[in-house]
Amino acid sequence: MPTPRTARPRHYLMCRPTHFTVSYRINPWMDPAKPTDTGLAVLQWERLYALHQELGHTVELIDPLPGLPDMVYAANGATVLDGRALVASFRHPERAAEAPAYRDWFEQRGYPVVHTARHTNEGQGDYLVAGDRILAGSGFRTDRAAHAEAERVLGAPVVGLTLVDPRFYHLDTALAVLDDDIAYYPGAFSPESQETLRALYPDALLADEADAEAFGLNAICDGRHVLLPETAGNLADRLADRGFQPIGVDLSELLKGGGSVKCCTLELHRAEATAGGAR
Ligand code: ARG
């Protein structure tokens, strides 16, 4: 019998893909020659937005800005833990102007700490809060040197992991936090980082390449439900074997930018701990 799972209400921040398109290429999934359908992207995103709320979660919105087609990938805007927001500093100039928009959002909501990063980091694309620690990716976007800054600003120990496969350029394309365990695709990590993950999470769910390529690990878990791309069927079955309730989501348009469920959802971790301060 799989372990019974319990959902806990979460607090998310999302950005409607009003200005979504693929007009530049900063990851191998993006092809500006391939047409995008912004209207369809909005419809697919609206479904995810509604789903989070149907599951009992609070979803806040940040205004999309013209000229920033990747702003829909809200996960990259910041990392938030207990009222402290570490704002992203983007690797590519195409996304640089998103950072001040996120900084303003957190400042306007009265977050006690809103830190403008010194080092390049792409928010929850590369920083995943996993219980009391933060799993931190580097290799393509976030600088290794940023990890110490995250540890200091967010006040939680950081475990550095090196990504080696350009298809999985952010940690959240290669690893998903599931309640107290994780799922990951080992091939996305350096041998040393695979060793680290094996030692920390001996029972982790190991995803195969097909699941990873379908962006199955770009999932979001509330303790019970796991929202993931509907094409990651094998991973969904294996999550169900572990007592989770997988819910497939169609974000085919947003996949053209190299992102899916998790990329579109910035989690305001443990916002309840700072209620009043962080709202
Ligand atoms: N086009 C965006 C980029 O390359 C996609 C970001 C996806 N976000 C994520 N959390 N993995 O930056």
Side-chain angles (χ1 to χ4, degrees), residues 62-148:
I62 180 169
D63 288 335
L65 296 175
L68 296 175
D70 273 340
M71 197 169 166
V72 58
Y73 304 110
N76 303 136
T79 308
V80 182
L81 187 58
D82 297 335
R84 301 156 192 226
L86 168 60
V87 179
S89 167
F90 287 87
R91 162 84 42 204
H92 300 287
E94 291 87 342
R95 298 195 67 184
E98 295 179 39
Y102 281 91
R103 189 193 56 226
D104 292 351
W105 192 91
F106 288 104
E107 276 176 355
Q108 280 157 17
R109 268 154 196 82
Y111 271 64
V113 176
V114 181
H115 180 85
T116 300
R118 254 192 71 201
H119 295 285
T120 299
N121 86 85
E122 297 203 347
Q124 287 175 25
D126 279 320
Y127 290 136
L128 294 174
V129 176
D132 291 333
R133 64 171 76 101
I134 297 172
L135 301 176
S138 66
F140 296 100
R141 299 292 180 88
T142 295
D143 273 341
R144 189 87 204 187
H147 293 179

Side-chain angles (χ1 to χ4, degrees), residues 19-36 68-73 76 92 94-95 98 122 141 166-167 169-170 215 252-259:
H19 308 291
F20 172 74
T21 186
V22 175
S23 53
Y24 50 80
R25 180 182 169 95
I26 56 172
N27 71 56
W29 306 95
M30 299 175 84
D31 178 1
K34 213 158 109 184
T36 48
L68 296 175
D70 273 340
M71 197 169 166
V72 58
Y73 304 110
N76 303 136
H92 300 287
E94 291 87 342
R95 298 195 67 184
E98 295 179 39
E122 297 203 347
R141 299 292 180 88
R167 292 172 300 169
Y169 57 94
H170 273 146
F215 267 69
S252 59
E253 278 307 305
L254 296 167
L255 222 44
K256 294 177 183 170

Side-chain angles (χ1 to χ4, degrees), residues 14-17 20 36-52 72-73 227 230 248-257 259-261 264-265:
M14 295 179 73
C15 181
R16 192 175 265 104
F20 172 74
T36 48
D37 180 337
T38 306
L40 181 57
V42 171
L43 282 176
Q44 293 176 338
W45 178 94
E46 291 285 355
R47 180 73 201 105
L48 176 65
Y49 176 47
L51 192 54
H52 283 317
V72 58
Y73 304 110
L227 277 48
E230 61 182 8
V249 184
D250 179 11
L251 288 176
S252 59
E253 278 307 305
L254 296 167
L255 222 44
K256 294 177 183 170
S260 188
V261 177
C264 293
T265 312

Side-chain angles (χ1 to χ4, degrees), residues 1 94 114 168 209 223 229 236 239 278-279:
M1 270 296 280
E94 291 87 342
V114 181
F168 309 113
E209 186 171 10
L239 286 162
R279 264 153 225 244

